[in-house]
Amino acid sequence: MPEAENNTQKVLLMRLRRIEGQVRGVQRMIEDGSDCGEILNQIAAVKAAVNRVGILIFENHAKDCILRNVSQSPSDEEFKEIFTMMGRLLR
């Protein structure tokens, strides 16, 4: 695995572990009967963190697709795949 890929994987896994901790924190907040506003703030933070991970993964995938196709003309199907993934991510 190239160094850049290995580093990206480490960053992604670190972010996902942090998200996992945030979710456990929300569970504890609910169990402890914390204020609904505080819980909702934490849920918003979790959603934002998951979105950031998704964007990083999408960026890497799109970059790989583009680099792979620099020497050849990308097909409509490949563009459609990228656009479909972007659409899913934005929902």
Side-chain angles (χ1 to χ4, degrees), residues 61-72 78 81:
H61 176 72
K63 189 182 340 175
D64 288 344
C65 285
I66 291 167
L67 289 175
R68 185 175 56 237
N69 291 307
V70 165
S71 62
Q72 57 189 6
E78 289 167 319
E81 175 191 351

Side-chain angles (χ1 to χ4, degrees), residues 22-81:
Q22 287 177 296
V23 171
R24 280 195 303 270
V26 170
Q27 290 171 334
R28 280 190 303 275
M29 290 174 78
I30 292 170
E31 290 170 351
D32 296 343
S34 296
D35 178 67
C36 289
E38 292 175 23
I39 294 170
L40 290 172
N41 282 335
Q42 287 304 309
I43 290 172
V46 169
K47 286 175 61 175
V50 168
N51 287 339
R52 284 191 298 271
V53 168
I55 287 169
L56 283 172
I57 292 171
F58 174 78
E59 285 175 353
N60 283 313
H61 176 72
K63 189 182 340 175
D64 288 344
C65 285
I66 291 167
L67 289 175
R68 185 175 56 237
N69 291 307
V70 165
S71 62
Q72 57 189 6
S73 296
S75 71
D76 287 341
E77 279 301 310
E78 289 167 319
F79 277 121
K80 189 174 180 179
E81 175 191 351

